[in-house]
Amino acid sequence: VVVIDGPADPSAPSVADVVHADRATWDELLTRSDVPAGAAFQADVTIGQGVEVPLLAFDEQVPTSTLLLRIVEQDGVAFVQIETAGAVLDPEAVLWKVDIEGRGGGLSTAAVGPVTGYRLGDAPFTGEVNLEITAIDGGDFTLQTTGPVRLVVS
């Protein structure tokens, strides 16, 4: 259990909540999601087709915005491209963190506008890709997330 006391997540339990928790409180704390409500996205896509994915913030003062995802093929290789032009970043965001199929993917400077690409494998690409994109602060604390995203190539 991670305890955050402060404005980054006012719904998080306080240190006192955890220290003085009885069994019922512990059970409730363990059921809390580690992503904001509404974070789960699936889309059927074709190669080259872009799809907007919501970028949800834990801080209610940061509006929901979007990232544009696209699966592309070039020179026999398939990539997922992430375009950040539609993002509204939390002011404390330092890095984009991309997790592809639970094995990581990469880190890049949190900025609005650039397009980054991550290799998926050989082309032609068929099937699906599961990923999650988060904006994190310098201490690896998640500020914003797409939650789990599944893109199914049709």
Side-chain angles (χ1 to χ4, degrees):
V1 174
V2 175
V3 179
I4 307 295
D5 243 345
D9 186 0
S11 69
S14 68
V15 174
D17 291 338
V18 174
V19 170
H20 302 296
D22 59 15
R23 179 65 185 186
T25 303
W26 269 109
D27 289 342
E28 190 275 326
L29 291 172
L30 292 172
T31 64
R32 291 188 185 184
S33 176
D34 59 353
V35 296
F41 186 88
Q42 179 170 328
D44 292 324
V45 297
T46 57
I47 299 298
Q49 172 193 3
V51 62
E52 286 190 342
V53 176
L55 180 64
L56 305 169
F58 285 95
D59 183 343
E60 293 176 2
Q61 295 180 358
V62 177
T64 296
S65 56
T66 60
L67 301 176
L68 184 67
L69 306 183
R70 178 182 298 113
I71 297 175
V72 296
E73 296 176 347
Q74 184 176 343
D75 298 326
V77 179
F79 298 88
V80 61
Q81 286 183 340
I82 303 166
E83 185 176 323
T84 60
V88 176
L89 276 175
D90 185 296
E92 296 181 28
V94 175
L95 296 170
W96 289 113
K97 182 177 180 181
V98 179
D99 185 340
I100 300 173
E101 299 294 347
R103 66 178 190 273
L107 295 171
S108 62
T109 302
V112 173
V115 176
T116 56
Y118 297 90
R119 183 185 171 112
L120 296 175
D122 294 334
F125 185 82
T126 58
E128 64 185 48
V129 61
N130 296 286
L131 64 151
E132 183 170 359
I133 304 159
T134 55
I136 60 174
D137 69 5
D140 202 25
F141 178 74
T142 298
L143 302 168
Q144 294 169 276
T145 184
T146 60
V149 174
R150 173 176 287 146
L151 300 178
V152 180
V153 177
S154 52

